[in-house]
Amino acid sequence: MESKHRDISLVALQGDQMLVIACDSCGAVGSKAGDQVKVPPHIVGKYTTRVAVMEVMATGAKPVAVTANICNEPSPTGEEIMEGIRQELEEWDLKLPITISTEKNMPTAMTALGITLIGTVAKSQLMIGKISPGDLVYSLGLPKIGDDVAADQGEIADARVMKKLLQLEGVKEIIPVGSSGIKGEVNKLAEAYQLRFDVLNDERLDMEKSAGPCTVVLVVTDRVFANTFEVPCYFIGKLE
């Protein structure tokens, strides 16, 4: 039986095991003539992979396989995208089988990539469905998109942040933030749990800006959250 949670699919396997599936796509970002944001192809591979990995890891699942749908020629674009994919997986200490498809029939004028990541987790270990009234919501990282991501100076959430969060006590749920922005994600979160989100943030944090390839993660916890990370951390509100 399949169910949905935010942007991921959950598939029940035998016993207590669950399959967790996440995907992300990226288009018009790269070094081709038709690309709107100019970055090296390995950046496309790296950050598109990061989104899918974050979505799976945030549930408490262990990634087991990845697919890369590269809508461009195998070389040089495909090879460079694969370099970024492998670089991102290494940052997560992941050695996964990668199923790859490239465009071999015609030339392309725009870079495009789709990544799917598959993970497994025991249902009892899923970091989903544990939120309750009174829980606090924190934001880690700054929302960035496009050229700002490539030029980042250590202000976005990454593998180090996520791996550390997964080891902390009191963390009930982790929500990677993408194009809907911080406000969009907390509103969806509150609606899913039939709660109200009270905004208590008085910092200069743009809660409506797109966070692009998951440059921000939200943390829901039942305790005061000390910032021991190297990225900006904001208390943004409470669920009631």
Side-chain angles (χ1 to χ4, degrees), residues 21-22 40 57 83 105 110 115 118 133 137 152 155 182 197 215 233 240:
I21 306 168
M57 296 285 280
E83 176 188 342
N105 296 307
M110 184 182 294
I115 292 288
I118 300 170
V137 184
D152 176 64
E155 295 179 321
I182 295 170
F197 179 71
T215 62
C233 177
E240 297 287 4

Side-chain angles (χ1 to χ4, degrees), residues 9 18 21 27 30 44 47-50 55 62 74 77 86 110-111 115 136 154 166 171 185 208 210 213 233-234:
S9 293
M18 300 287 293
I21 306 168
V44 177
Y47 283 98
T48 309
T49 301
R50 175 177 295 184
E55 291 285 2
K62 177 183 178 181
T77 303
R86 293 190 179 98
M110 184 182 294
T111 305
I115 292 288
L136 310 177
L166 290 168
V171 173
E185 289 293 349
E208 298 191 13
S210 168
C233 177
Y234 298 95

Side-chain angles (χ1 to χ4, degrees), residues 159-180:
R160 292 175 303 169
V161 171
M162 182 68 81
K163 287 190 287 186
K164 192 170 183 177
L165 280 174
L166 290 168
Q167 301 299 317
L168 289 181
E169 293 185 4
V171 173
K172 290 189 169 184
E173 194 160 323
I174 302 170
I175 301 99
V177 180
S179 58
S180 61

Side-chain angles (χ1 to χ4, degrees), residues 108-215:
T108 58
M110 184 182 294
T111 305
L113 172 66
I115 292 288
T116 298
L117 195 84
I118 300 170
T120 59
V121 64
K123 188 176 181 180
S124 59
Q125 298 300 314
L126 268 174
M127 294 179 65
I128 293 173
K130 297 178 171 63
I131 291 175
S132 54
D135 285 341
L136 310 177
V137 184
Y138 291 81
S139 173
L140 284 169
L142 295 181
K144 297 191 179 188
I145 189 172
D147 293 324
D148 290 340
V149 177
D152 176 64
Q153 298 296 315
E155 295 179 321
I156 65 177
D158 57 12
R160 292 175 303 169
V161 171
M162 182 68 81
K163 287 190 287 186
K164 192 170 183 177
L165 280 174
L166 290 168
Q167 301 299 317
L168 289 181
E169 293 185 4
V171 173
K172 290 189 169 184
E173 194 160 323
I174 302 170
I175 301 99
V177 180
S179 58
S180 61
I182 295 170
K183 185 176 181 180
E185 289 293 349
V186 293
N187 286 340
K188 286 189 289 185
L189 180 71
E191 182 180 355
Y193 285 91
Q194 298 183 320
L195 297 172
R196 184 185 73 254
F197 179 71
D198 291 334
V199 180
L200 302 174
N201 167 62
D202 59 359
E203 303 282 354
R204 294 183 178 179
L205 177 64
D206 189 343
M207 293 182 60
E208 298 191 13
K209 180 180 178 179
S210 168
C214 292
T215 62

Side-chain angles (χ1 to χ4, degrees), residues 20-33:
V20 180
I21 306 168
C23 66
D24 192 48
S25 61
C26 182
V29 178
S31 59
K32 290 187 174 292

